[in-house]
Structures are given as C-alpha cells and as structure tokens.
Amino acid sequence: MHPRRPDGFDGLGYRGGARDEPGFGGAFPARSFSSASDLSRWVTSPPDIPGSRNLHWAEESPPRGAPAPCSPPEGPAEAPCPGGAGRSGGEARGLGGEQLNRFAGFGIGLASLFTENVLAHPCIVLRRQCQVNYHARHYHLTPFTVINIMYSFNKTQGPRALWKGMGSTFIVQGITLGAEGIISEFTPLPREISHKWNPKQIGEHLLLKSLTYIVAMPFYSASLIETVQSEIIRDGAGILECVKEGIGRAMGLGVPHSKRLLPLLALVFPTVLHGLLHYVISSVVQKVVLLVLKRRAYDGHLAESASPVQSVLDAYFPELIANFAASLCSDVTLYPLETVLHRLHVQGTRTIIDNTDLGYEVLPINTQYEGVRDCVNSIRREEGALGFYKGFGAVVVQYTLHAAVLQITKILYSTLLQNSA
C-alpha cells in the first residue's frame, strides 16, 4: 500500500532488513542484547507503508570476510599487527576503536531515518495530492515541475503545507508494529520465517501481514486525508486526531461523510493486495542486492585490498543501500496501484486539496468510483495511461534526495575514519 513513503499503502507492516540470518523477506527471530554496544548497531529498513521506516538490528562488525582483529604477537612491542598498523584489535579502527564504530552506526542510521521520515515528507505530501487530484491537467511527471509547485505551496501557505500529516504517519507505523506483535503473540502465525521454511509457513506469515494491514487500514485512511487536506481549510487538528478519525471510520462514527464513501470492506482487497506486493517485492530486492554487495565486499577482503575504514563502511552501508533499492523498486513498480488505492480511500470523505496546477486555490474531491475496476477504467479513459503516474516526479525527487544524503554521509564518515586512523 507507501509512502515512505503513504508513503504507498507505501505498505502497512514493517519490512525486515535482509541480512545474513536465514529467513524470508528479511523477517528474523528476536534476539537479546547483553551489552550496550549491541543497542547501537542498528540501521533503518524500508517500511511497507509510505513514510514508514522501521529499525532492525544490524549484523556484527566486521562483516563476513573482513580481516579479524589480531592480538599483539609475542615478542617486541613494536612488531606490527597485520591490518592494524601495530595496534590492538580495539584500536585498529582509530579514534576510540569500538566507540567510533558504534558512533558511525548510530549516525548513519539516524541520517537515513531523518531523510526517510522528515526530509522526504514534502515529496510524499505532493505525491499523494497529485494522485488523488483527478482534475489536474499537469501530471508532474518530472522533478522540475514538482520542485516548482512545492515552492508555490511554500510561498502561499508556509512551510507547514509541505510537512502536514507527518505526525500521523508515525502513529500509523506504531499501530502497525503493535498490531503485528499482538496478533503474532495470540495466534500461531509466525512473525518471522525460520531457515527451514515451507509453503505453509510462508502462507501463515503473509496471513499475519494481511491481518495487520486490515487493522491499520482505517488509521491509514485518516493519515492519508491529513497529508492531502489543504492547509488553507485545516482547523489545527491535534496529533491524535488520526487515531480518533481512524476509530470513527471503523465504527461509522464521527464527522458525517458523503454517500460516495466506500465501506471499509470494499477497501480490504486493494489495501491487502498493495501491502503484500510491496512487502514481497521489497523483501526480494533487498535480499538480492544485499547478497551481491556482501559478495563484492567479501571478494575485496580476499584480495587483501580492504582497509580498516572500508571494513567499518562495509558493516553498515550494504544494508542501507539494499533497503534503498528495495523501497525504490517497490514504490516505482506499484505506483499505479497506489494511485488507485489512494483515490478509493479519499472518496466520499469531503476532503479539500490544493490545486496542483496553480499552486494556490483549493479543489474538492467528488469522485464516484464504484470500486477498483471502475477506478482503473475511469482513469484510463479520462486521464490516459499516464494518469496512473500523476506526481511521479515527487518520487524522483524523494529518492534522489535520499541517495544524496547516503552518499554525503558515507563521504563524511570515510573522512572521519581516515583522519582518526
């Protein structure tokens, strides 16, 4: 379903990070942490909901194939240690050794989290507004028009127009993770796939994901409305308004809606379909990319070309790059389905959105789709095939920004580690 990042129903459920532990789709058994150092080796994983990004524990550093830290040999104290420039294993990485390693992991993960959930949020807002705006004549398929319209919104309504609904996306992530944990505790449905998996276990795991998407669905609808509702007519709703509206939507209470509002039962199929496809695609891509990157790093270590700096980077960046590629591939592949899903969720909610053609004024959402098939046929007939990709330029901006932050972070830490070596 993202993004990020609605970000589509950017899936409901968390995306497990694909790492060397066995499993399917990056779901792994829980583990205990005996020391503070374990708590700081974490990185971000792509969410199944747009804007959703979850935390997963990273694998031990150094990675497979990296030179193991050696102890000082017997004999003269000046005898060099291979790969460590005469230092002990704890000092081989330079300033503070393991402390610098932990700091690097924390900083890299924090930078990725900040990019995915804060810097990318304006792209998510505009992307959704374009998707639900069937009036629009400008589809904003390129990043150039997207940047221009974002500037217009910021100029006419202020910065809040681009960061609206950000709190509700975090709430939806929390509800999703909580629902998945509770369901897995009270049912035999596995939250992770064991190494010796079978079709039945995979089916049960996907059933757990499906139930999680269904539980979070009304809250996702409320969050979606917050991100597309024009700031001009907003009444300063509180941060928990998403929870209130979600419960009201599920129970049929709260603000009266139009007769065109689709019942939640009619939204179950497209919501679960988008969520499962997003989860499966991202998991497969993530695993494949991570295996390729690990193999390249392993071959580099065998060739004795790896430095202590490279060892630290290899401990964290492969997973971040794999998560980035997985999220990008799933968002791009499922963008047309996400457009259909968002239109169905917003229909009949009396939502007023910004005019994405002009950058000012507002427009009502008064579609009358009867379901998924009618929505697909209407978009194809009235807006053409490119109508499914309205706002796609925002995705380009979002992932370009994310890639730039990852590259800048890598350069900064490479410089830091080299100077301290």
Tab-separated table of all heavy atoms in Angstrom, residues 280-341:
chain	number	residue	atom	x	y	z
A	280	VAL	N	6.542	-8.172	-0.466
A	280	VAL	CA	7.257	-9.240	-1.167
A	280	VAL	C	8.323	-8.664	-2.104
A	280	VAL	O	9.468	-9.126	-2.118
A	280	VAL	CB	6.263	-10.121	-1.949
A	280	VAL	CG1	7.018	-11.103	-2.845
A	280	VAL	CG2	5.353	-10.874	-0.990
A	281	ILE	N	7.946	-7.657	-2.893
A	281	ILE	CA	8.909	-7.073	-3.840
A	281	ILE	C	10.098	-6.476	-3.102
A	281	ILE	O	11.260	-6.714	-3.454
A	281	ILE	CB	8.229	-6.009	-4.714
A	281	ILE	CG1	7.199	-6.663	-5.642
A	281	ILE	CG2	9.260	-5.239	-5.537
A	281	ILE	CD1	6.381	-5.666	-6.437
A	282	SER	N	9.823	-5.691	-2.073
A	282	SER	CA	10.918	-5.052	-1.339
A	282	SER	C	11.804	-6.086	-0.656
A	282	SER	O	13.030	-5.941	-0.613
A	282	SER	CB	10.362	-4.067	-0.305
A	282	SER	OG	9.564	-4.744	0.655
A	283	SER	N	11.196	-7.162	-0.124
A	283	SER	CA	11.985	-8.191	0.560
A	283	SER	C	12.906	-8.916	-0.411
A	283	SER	O	14.076	-9.159	-0.108
A	283	SER	CB	11.054	-9.195	1.245
A	283	SER	OG	10.264	-8.576	2.230
A	284	VAL	N	12.379	-9.276	-1.569
A	284	VAL	CA	13.182	-9.995	-2.551
A	284	VAL	C	14.320	-9.122	-3.070
A	284	VAL	O	15.478	-9.541	-3.134
A	284	VAL	CB	12.296	-10.481	-3.716
A	284	VAL	CG1	13.155	-11.056	-4.837
A	284	VAL	CG2	11.297	-11.522	-3.224
A	285	VAL	N	13.999	-7.877	-3.453
A	285	VAL	CA	15.023	-6.967	-3.973
A	285	VAL	C	16.083	-6.701	-2.910
A	285	VAL	O	17.292	-6.696	-3.188
A	285	VAL	CB	14.394	-5.645	-4.449
A	285	VAL	CG1	15.475	-4.627	-4.817
A	285	VAL	CG2	13.475	-5.895	-5.635
A	286	GLN	N	15.650	-6.491	-1.692
A	286	GLN	CA	16.574	-6.208	-0.598
A	286	GLN	C	17.545	-7.361	-0.382
A	286	GLN	O	18.757	-7.162	-0.229
A	286	GLN	CB	15.774	-5.950	0.680
A	286	GLN	CG	16.610	-5.499	1.861
A	286	GLN	CD	15.745	-5.309	3.090
A	286	GLN	OE1	14.932	-6.170	3.419
A	286	GLN	NE2	15.900	-4.190	3.770
A	287	LYS	N	17.014	-8.573	-0.394
A	287	LYS	CA	17.866	-9.744	-0.174
A	287	LYS	C	18.873	-9.912	-1.306
A	287	LYS	O	20.059	-10.171	-1.061
A	287	LYS	CB	16.981	-10.992	-0.072
A	287	LYS	CG	17.710	-12.230	0.419
A	287	LYS	CD	18.064	-12.096	1.893
A	287	LYS	CE	18.657	-13.387	2.434
A	287	LYS	NZ	19.050	-13.255	3.856
A	288	VAL	N	18.414	-9.750	-2.538
A	288	VAL	CA	19.302	-9.936	-3.691
A	288	VAL	C	20.419	-8.890	-3.691
A	288	VAL	O	21.599	-9.206	-3.865
A	288	VAL	CB	18.501	-9.870	-5.006
A	288	VAL	CG1	19.436	-9.838	-6.210
A	288	VAL	CG2	17.555	-11.061	-5.111
A	289	VAL	N	20.043	-7.624	-3.493
A	289	VAL	CA	21.039	-6.551	-3.502
A	289	VAL	C	22.045	-6.743	-2.371
A	289	VAL	O	23.254	-6.556	-2.551
A	289	VAL	CB	20.349	-5.174	-3.397
A	289	VAL	CG1	21.387	-4.068	-3.230
A	289	VAL	CG2	19.498	-4.910	-4.629
A	290	LEU	N	21.561	-7.125	-1.205
A	290	LEU	CA	22.459	-7.300	-0.067
A	290	LEU	C	23.443	-8.445	-0.307
A	290	LEU	O	24.632	-8.338	0.023
A	290	LEU	CB	21.648	-7.568	1.200
A	290	LEU	CG	22.431	-7.578	2.513
A	290	LEU	CD1	23.105	-6.232	2.747
A	290	LEU	CD2	21.517	-7.922	3.676
A	291	LEU	N	22.963	-9.532	-0.897
A	291	LEU	CA	23.854	-10.647	-1.192
A	291	LEU	C	24.933	-10.248	-2.200
A	291	LEU	O	26.093	-10.638	-2.073
A	291	LEU	CB	23.048	-11.834	-1.727
A	291	LEU	CG	22.174	-12.567	-0.701
A	291	LEU	CD1	21.353	-13.649	-1.394
A	291	LEU	CD2	23.017	-13.161	0.409
A	292	VAL	N	24.546	-9.468	-3.207
A	292	VAL	CA	25.519	-9.013	-4.203
A	292	VAL	C	26.571	-8.117	-3.564
A	292	VAL	O	27.776	-8.265	-3.802
A	292	VAL	CB	24.808	-8.273	-5.352
A	292	VAL	CG1	25.829	-7.619	-6.282
A	292	VAL	CG2	23.919	-9.232	-6.137
A	293	LEU	N	26.126	-7.180	-2.734
A	293	LEU	CA	27.064	-6.262	-2.086
A	293	LEU	C	27.986	-7.001	-1.114
A	293	LEU	O	29.182	-6.703	-1.021
A	293	LEU	CB	26.293	-5.161	-1.355
A	293	LEU	CG	25.504	-4.191	-2.239
A	293	LEU	CD1	24.733	-3.206	-1.378
A	293	LEU	CD2	26.428	-3.451	-3.192
A	294	LYS	N	27.438	-7.964	-0.385
A	294	LYS	CA	28.268	-8.729	0.548
A	294	LYS	C	29.298	-9.569	-0.194
A	294	LYS	O	30.431	-9.727	0.251
A	294	LYS	CB	27.377	-9.624	1.416
A	294	LYS	CG	26.550	-8.867	2.441
A	294	LYS	CD	27.432	-8.210	3.478
A	294	LYS	CE	26.617	-7.530	4.561
A	294	LYS	NZ	27.474	-6.874	5.566
A	295	ARG	N	28.900	-10.127	-1.332
A	295	ARG	CA	29.841	-10.913	-2.116
A	295	ARG	C	30.974	-10.043	-2.640
A	295	ARG	O	32.145	-10.445	-2.621
A	295	ARG	CB	29.099	-11.581	-3.271
A	295	ARG	CG	29.981	-12.264	-4.310
A	295	ARG	CD	30.927	-13.256	-3.677
A	295	ARG	NE	30.213	-14.322	-2.983
A	295	ARG	CZ	30.830	-15.307	-2.327
A	295	ARG	NH1	32.163	-15.328	-2.287
A	295	ARG	NH2	30.135	-16.241	-1.713
A	296	ARG	N	30.640	-8.838	-3.092
A	296	ARG	CA	31.683	-7.931	-3.578
A	296	ARG	C	32.630	-7.547	-2.448
A	296	ARG	O	33.851	-7.477	-2.637
A	296	ARG	CB	31.045	-6.686	-4.187
A	296	ARG	CG	30.291	-6.943	-5.485
A	296	ARG	CD	29.591	-5.702	-5.980
A	296	ARG	NE	30.529	-4.609	-6.184
A	296	ARG	CZ	30.152	-3.375	-6.552
A	296	ARG	NH1	28.865	-3.097	-6.748
A	296	ARG	NH2	31.060	-2.445	-6.722
A	297	ALA	N	32.063	-7.271	-1.261
A	297	ALA	CA	32.914	-6.913	-0.120
A	297	ALA	C	33.794	-8.086	0.290
A	297	ALA	O	34.968	-7.913	0.618
A	297	ALA	CB	32.038	-6.464	1.050
A	298	TYR	N	33.226	-9.281	0.234
A	298	TYR	CA	33.990	-10.481	0.598
A	298	TYR	C	35.142	-10.712	-0.370
A	298	TYR	O	36.265	-11.021	0.042
A	298	TYR	CB	33.053	-11.685	0.608
A	298	TYR	CG	33.724	-12.995	0.913
A	298	TYR	CD1	34.208	-13.254	2.193
A	298	TYR	CD2	33.868	-13.975	-0.067
A	298	TYR	CE1	34.828	-14.460	2.479
A	298	TYR	CE2	34.492	-15.179	0.208
A	298	TYR	CZ	34.973	-15.420	1.499
A	298	TYR	OH	35.583	-16.606	1.775
A	299	ASP	N	34.876	-10.550	-1.662
A	299	ASP	CA	35.939	-10.703	-2.650
A	299	ASP	C	37.027	-9.656	-2.455
A	299	ASP	O	38.214	-9.932	-2.639
A	299	ASP	CB	35.356	-10.593	-4.062
A	299	ASP	CG	34.440	-11.761	-4.403
A	299	ASP	OD1	34.543	-12.807	-3.724
A	299	ASP	OD2	33.611	-11.623	-5.320
A	300	GLY	N	36.636	-8.442	-2.075
A	300	GLY	CA	37.623	-7.397	-1.833
A	300	GLY	C	38.519	-7.711	-0.660
A	300	GLY	O	39.727	-7.455	-0.689
A	301	HIS	N	37.934	-8.316	0.381
A	301	HIS	CA	38.746	-8.689	1.542
A	301	HIS	C	39.702	-9.832	1.206
A	301	HIS	O	40.828	-9.882	1.695
A	301	HIS	CB	37.838	-9.090	2.707
A	301	HIS	CG	37.062	-7.946	3.274
A	301	HIS	ND1	37.655	-6.772	3.654
A	301	HIS	CD2	35.735	-7.803	3.523
A	301	HIS	CE1	36.734	-5.934	4.113
A	301	HIS	NE2	35.559	-6.543	4.046
A	302	LEU	N	39.229	-10.775	0.378
A	302	LEU	CA	40.121	-11.871	-0.012
A	302	LEU	C	41.305	-11.361	-0.815
A	302	LEU	O	42.399	-11.924	-0.765
A	302	LEU	CB	39.342	-12.896	-0.835
A	302	LEU	CG	38.308	-13.743	-0.076
A	302	LEU	CD1	37.628	-14.719	-1.021
A	302	LEU	CD2	38.969	-14.491	1.075
A	303	ALA	N	41.070	-10.287	-1.569
A	303	ALA	CA	42.155	-9.704	-2.354
A	303	ALA	C	43.079	-8.828	-1.508
A	303	ALA	O	43.977	-8.188	-2.026
A	303	ALA	CB	41.583	-8.885	-3.514
A	304	GLU	N	42.799	-8.773	-0.177
A	304	GLU	CA	43.604	-8.001	0.764
A	304	GLU	C	43.658	-6.527	0.384
A	304	GLU	O	44.667	-5.859	0.562
A	304	GLU	CB	45.024	-8.573	0.840
A	304	GLU	CG	45.078	-10.020	1.299
A	304	GLU	CD	46.504	-10.524	1.406
A	304	GLU	OE1	47.411	-9.769	0.997
A	304	GLU	OE2	46.708	-11.635	1.899
A	305	SER	N	42.558	-6.052	-0.142
A	305	SER	CA	42.501	-4.637	-0.520
A	305	SER	C	41.671	-3.815	0.453
A	305	SER	O	41.496	-2.625	0.255
A	305	SER	CB	41.908	-4.498	-1.926
A	305	SER	OG	40.600	-5.041	-1.970
A	306	ALA	N	41.136	-4.472	1.461
A	306	ALA	CA	40.261	-3.773	2.397
A	306	ALA	C	41.083	-3.082	3.478
A	306	ALA	O	41.992	-3.654	4.050
A	306	ALA	CB	39.269	-4.743	3.029
A	307	SER	N	40.725	-1.863	3.768
A	307	SER	CA	41.355	-1.100	4.836
A	307	SER	C	40.429	-1.099	6.041
A	307	SER	O	39.254	-1.440	5.933
A	307	SER	CB	41.597	0.342	4.372
A	307	SER	OG	40.363	0.984	4.094
A	308	PRO	N	40.917	-0.698	7.228
A	308	PRO	CA	40.026	-0.606	8.383
A	308	PRO	C	38.843	0.326	8.134
A	308	PRO	O	37.742	0.077	8.609
A	308	PRO	CB	40.959	-0.055	9.479
A	308	PRO	CG	42.323	-0.495	9.068
A	308	PRO	CD	42.328	-0.445	7.580
A	309	VAL	N	39.056	1.400	7.383
A	309	VAL	CA	37.969	2.318	7.060
A	309	VAL	C	36.908	1.610	6.242
A	309	VAL	O	35.705	1.703	6.504
A	309	VAL	CB	38.511	3.544	6.293
A	309	VAL	CG1	37.354	4.407	5.787
A	309	VAL	CG2	39.432	4.359	7.187
A	310	GLN	N	37.363	0.849	5.226
A	310	GLN	CA	36.419	0.143	4.374
A	310	GLN	C	35.664	-0.921	5.155
A	310	GLN	O	34.500	-1.201	4.889
A	310	GLN	CB	37.151	-0.492	3.189
A	310	GLN	CG	36.222	-1.068	2.124
A	310	GLN	CD	35.355	0.001	1.495
A	310	GLN	OE1	35.801	1.117	1.243
A	310	GLN	NE2	34.104	-0.335	1.256
A	311	SER	N	36.322	-1.525	6.139
A	311	SER	CA	35.669	-2.545	6.949
A	311	SER	C	34.499	-1.960	7.727
A	311	SER	O	33.433	-2.575	7.839
A	311	SER	CB	36.675	-3.189	7.905
A	311	SER	OG	37.688	-3.858	7.184
A	312	VAL	N	34.697	-0.769	8.279
A	312	VAL	CA	33.615	-0.120	9.014
A	312	VAL	C	32.462	0.230	8.076
A	312	VAL	O	31.293	0.023	8.387
A	312	VAL	CB	34.135	1.147	9.721
A	312	VAL	CG1	32.983	1.915	10.361
A	312	VAL	CG2	35.169	0.777	10.766
A	313	LEU	N	32.777	0.760	6.897
A	313	LEU	CA	31.729	1.120	5.948
A	313	LEU	C	30.980	-0.118	5.465
A	313	LEU	O	29.757	-0.084	5.290
A	313	LEU	CB	32.338	1.875	4.761
A	313	LEU	CG	32.977	3.220	5.079
A	313	LEU	CD1	33.577	3.833	3.816
A	313	LEU	CD2	31.967	4.179	5.703
A	314	ASP	N	31.707	-1.207	5.248
A	314	ASP	CA	31.072	-2.444	4.794
A	314	ASP	C	30.143	-3.023	5.847
A	314	ASP	O	29.275	-3.848	5.534
A	314	ASP	CB	32.132	-3.485	4.429
A	314	ASP	CG	32.847	-3.145	3.125
A	314	ASP	OD1	32.325	-2.302	2.371
A	314	ASP	OD2	33.922	-3.718	2.871
A	315	ALA	N	30.325	-2.621	7.097
A	315	ALA	CA	29.475	-3.147	8.158
A	315	ALA	C	28.095	-2.512	8.143
A	315	ALA	O	27.144	-3.096	8.667
A	315	ALA	CB	30.133	-2.903	9.521
A	316	TYR	N	27.942	-1.326	7.559
A	316	TYR	CA	26.688	-0.604	7.649
A	316	TYR	C	26.062	-0.256	6.297
A	316	TYR	O	24.850	-0.387	6.130
A	316	TYR	CB	26.887	0.696	8.447
A	316	TYR	CG	27.358	0.462	9.861
A	316	TYR	CD1	28.687	0.672	10.211
A	316	TYR	CD2	26.485	-0.006	10.837
A	316	TYR	CE1	29.128	0.438	11.510
A	316	TYR	CE2	26.916	-0.242	12.129
A	316	TYR	CZ	28.232	-0.015	12.471
A	316	TYR	OH	28.658	-0.259	13.739
A	317	PHE	N	26.836	0.182	5.350
A	317	PHE	CA	26.258	0.716	4.123
A	317	PHE	C	25.617	-0.327	3.208
A	317	PHE	O	24.659	0.005	2.519
A	317	PHE	CB	27.308	1.530	3.359
A	317	PHE	CG	27.419	2.939	3.845
A	317	PHE	CD1	28.382	3.293	4.765
A	317	PHE	CD2	26.527	3.909	3.409
A	317	PHE	CE1	28.468	4.589	5.238
A	317	PHE	CE2	26.609	5.205	3.871
A	317	PHE	CZ	27.571	5.553	4.782
A	318	PRO	N	26.098	-1.565	3.128
A	318	PRO	CA	25.401	-2.518	2.258
A	318	PRO	C	23.924	-2.666	2.576
A	318	PRO	O	23.084	-2.716	1.684
A	318	PRO	CB	26.181	-3.822	2.496
A	318	PRO	CG	27.553	-3.376	2.846
A	318	PRO	CD	27.354	-2.137	3.661
A	319	GLU	N	23.590	-2.724	3.848
A	319	GLU	CA	22.180	-2.878	4.202
A	319	GLU	C	21.381	-1.621	3.891
A	319	GLU	O	20.236	-1.694	3.423
A	319	GLU	CB	22.041	-3.243	5.685
A	319	GLU	CG	20.596	-3.528	6.071
A	319	GLU	CD	20.489	-4.245	7.395
A	319	GLU	OE1	21.513	-4.677	7.929
A	319	GLU	OE2	19.359	-4.372	7.886
A	320	LEU	N	21.964	-0.459	4.125
A	320	LEU	CA	21.269	0.783	3.792
A	320	LEU	C	21.017	0.882	2.292
A	320	LEU	O	19.936	1.295	1.857
A	320	LEU	CB	22.088	1.986	4.270
A	320	LEU	CG	22.176	2.196	5.780
A	320	LEU	CD1	23.034	3.419	6.087
A	320	LEU	CD2	20.793	2.365	6.382
A	321	ILE	N	22.004	0.507	1.501
A	321	ILE	CA	21.840	0.548	0.050
A	321	ILE	C	20.793	-0.472	-0.390
A	321	ILE	O	19.964	-0.193	-1.271
A	321	ILE	CB	23.191	0.279	-0.640
A	321	ILE	CG1	24.172	1.411	-0.318
A	321	ILE	CG2	23.006	0.156	-2.152
A	321	ILE	CD1	25.578	1.175	-0.836
A	322	ALA	N	20.792	-1.659	0.209
A	322	ALA	CA	19.801	-2.675	-0.132
A	322	ALA	C	18.397	-2.207	0.220
A	322	ALA	O	17.448	-2.410	-0.556
A	322	ALA	CB	20.125	-3.981	0.594
A	323	ASN	N	18.242	-1.575	1.376
A	323	ASN	CA	16.938	-1.043	1.768
A	323	ASN	C	16.485	0.058	0.815
A	323	ASN	O	15.301	0.151	0.458
A	323	ASN	CB	17.002	-0.499	3.192
A	323	ASN	CG	17.229	-1.593	4.214
A	323	ASN	OD1	16.974	-2.765	3.956
A	323	ASN	ND2	17.726	-1.215	5.376
A	324	PHE	N	17.418	0.905	0.418
A	324	PHE	CA	17.113	1.982	-0.520
A	324	PHE	C	16.630	1.416	-1.853
A	324	PHE	O	15.606	1.845	-2.396
A	324	PHE	CB	18.366	2.839	-0.722
A	324	PHE	CG	18.251	3.840	-1.832
A	324	PHE	CD1	17.641	5.069	-1.629
A	324	PHE	CD2	18.751	3.562	-3.095
A	324	PHE	CE1	17.535	5.996	-2.652
A	324	PHE	CE2	18.656	4.480	-4.124
A	324	PHE	CZ	18.041	5.698	-3.906
A	325	ALA	N	17.354	0.431	-2.382
A	325	ALA	CA	16.975	-0.171	-3.662
A	325	ALA	C	15.640	-0.890	-3.564
A	325	ALA	O	14.809	-0.826	-4.488
A	325	ALA	CB	18.065	-1.138	-4.121
A	326	ALA	N	15.395	-1.568	-2.444
A	326	ALA	CA	14.136	-2.297	-2.267
A	326	ALA	C	12.949	-1.346	-2.224
A	326	ALA	O	11.916	-1.586	-2.866
A	326	ALA	CB	14.196	-3.124	-0.989
A	327	SER	N	13.082	-0.271	-1.474
A	327	SER	CA	11.998	0.704	-1.382
A	327	SER	C	11.733	1.381	-2.719
A	327	SER	O	10.576	1.574	-3.122
A	327	SER	CB	12.347	1.756	-0.320
A	327	SER	OG	11.293	2.680	-0.158
A	328	LEU	N	12.798	1.724	-3.432
A	328	LEU	CA	12.656	2.373	-4.730
A	328	LEU	C	11.947	1.456	-5.731
A	328	LEU	O	10.995	1.873	-6.410
A	328	LEU	CB	14.026	2.770	-5.261
A	328	LEU	CG	14.073	3.343	-6.684
A	328	LEU	CD1	13.248	4.621	-6.777
A	328	LEU	CD2	15.516	3.604	-7.116
A	329	CYS	N	12.377	0.216	-5.820
A	329	CYS	CA	11.783	-0.718	-6.786
A	329	CYS	C	10.310	-0.980	-6.482
A	329	CYS	O	9.472	-1.009	-7.398
A	329	CYS	CB	12.555	-2.039	-6.782
A	329	CYS	SG	14.219	-1.930	-7.473
A	330	SER	N	9.970	-1.173	-5.216
A	330	SER	CA	8.583	-1.455	-4.867
A	330	SER	C	7.693	-0.238	-5.098
A	330	SER	O	6.566	-0.367	-5.589
A	330	SER	CB	8.491	-1.927	-3.418
A	330	SER	OG	9.095	-0.994	-2.542
A	331	ASP	N	8.184	0.966	-4.775
A	331	ASP	CA	7.376	2.174	-4.983
A	331	ASP	C	7.131	2.438	-6.460
A	331	ASP	O	6.014	2.791	-6.860
A	331	ASP	CB	8.076	3.387	-4.352
A	331	ASP	CG	7.876	3.444	-2.845
A	331	ASP	OD1	7.088	2.641	-2.330
A	331	ASP	OD2	8.512	4.285	-2.191
A	332	VAL	N	8.166	2.266	-7.276
A	332	VAL	CA	8.024	2.513	-8.715
A	332	VAL	C	7.109	1.471	-9.354
A	332	VAL	O	6.214	1.802	-10.142
A	332	VAL	CB	9.402	2.514	-9.394
A	332	VAL	CG1	9.252	2.552	-10.915
A	332	VAL	CG2	10.229	3.716	-8.926
A	333	THR	N	7.308	0.215	-8.994
A	333	THR	CA	6.509	-0.859	-9.588
A	333	THR	C	5.034	-0.742	-9.253
A	333	THR	O	4.166	-0.970	-10.109
A	333	THR	CB	7.036	-2.225	-9.109
A	333	THR	OG1	8.421	-2.345	-9.436
A	333	THR	CG2	6.260	-3.357	-9.760
A	334	LEU	N	4.721	-0.373	-8.021
A	334	LEU	CA	3.337	-0.356	-7.558
A	334	LEU	C	2.702	1.030	-7.583
A	334	LEU	O	1.616	1.212	-7.031
A	334	LEU	CB	3.272	-0.922	-6.137
A	334	LEU	CG	3.733	-2.369	-5.977
A	334	LEU	CD1	3.693	-2.787	-4.515
A	334	LEU	CD2	2.873	-3.301	-6.819
A	335	TYR	N	3.341	1.989	-8.233
A	335	TYR	CA	2.803	3.353	-8.237
A	335	TYR	C	1.391	3.428	-8.828
A	335	TYR	O	0.524	4.094	-8.250
A	335	TYR	CB	3.748	4.288	-8.991
A	335	TYR	CG	3.501	5.747	-8.702
A	335	TYR	CD1	4.131	6.382	-7.636
A	335	TYR	CD2	2.632	6.504	-9.479
A	335	TYR	CE1	3.913	7.711	-7.360
A	335	TYR	CE2	2.401	7.838	-9.214
A	335	TYR	CZ	3.047	8.438	-8.150
A	335	TYR	OH	2.802	9.763	-7.870
A	336	PRO	N	1.097	2.783	-9.958
A	336	PRO	CA	-0.280	2.844	-10.484
A	336	PRO	C	-1.310	2.286	-9.508
A	336	PRO	O	-2.391	2.870	-9.330
A	336	PRO	CB	-0.196	1.996	-11.761
A	336	PRO	CG	1.239	2.059	-12.162
A	336	PRO	CD	1.999	2.068	-10.873
A	337	LEU	N	-0.991	1.162	-8.859
A	337	LEU	CA	-1.919	0.595	-7.880
A	337	LEU	C	-2.081	1.517	-6.683
A	337	LEU	O	-3.182	1.639	-6.122
A	337	LEU	CB	-1.410	-0.780	-7.432
A	337	LEU	CG	-2.251	-1.509	-6.378
A	337	LEU	CD1	-3.677	-1.711	-6.870
A	337	LEU	CD2	-1.606	-2.844	-6.016
A	338	GLU	N	-1.011	2.177	-6.291
A	338	GLU	CA	-1.083	3.116	-5.182
A	338	GLU	C	-1.989	4.291	-5.515
A	338	GLU	O	-2.758	4.762	-4.663
A	338	GLU	CB	0.322	3.615	-4.835
A	338	GLU	CG	0.366	4.575	-3.663
A	338	GLU	CD	1.767	5.090	-3.417
A	338	GLU	OE1	2.564	4.333	-2.828
A	338	GLU	OE2	2.084	6.216	-3.822
A	339	THR	N	-1.926	4.772	-6.755
A	339	THR	CA	-2.803	5.860	-7.186
A	339	THR	C	-4.269	5.459	-7.059
A	339	THR	O	-5.097	6.215	-6.533
A	339	THR	CB	-2.497	6.251	-8.642
A	339	THR	OG1	-1.145	6.720	-8.731
A	339	THR	CG2	-3.438	7.333	-9.128
A	340	VAL	N	-4.599	4.265	-7.529
A	340	VAL	CA	-5.972	3.764	-7.428
A	340	VAL	C	-6.379	3.631	-5.968
A	340	VAL	O	-7.486	4.040	-5.568
A	340	VAL	CB	-6.100	2.412	-8.152
A	340	VAL	CG1	-7.471	1.793	-7.918
A	340	VAL	CG2	-5.844	2.581	-9.643
A	341	LEU	N	-5.513	3.074	-5.147
A	341	LEU	CA	-5.815	2.858	-3.736
A	341	LEU	C	-6.082	4.168	-3.010
A	341	LEU	O	-7.053	4.282	-2.249
A	341	LEU	CB	-4.651	2.126	-3.074
A	341	LEU	CG	-4.828	1.777	-1.598
A	341	LEU	CD1	-5.905	0.732	-1.424
A	341	LEU	CD2	-3.517	1.310	-0.989
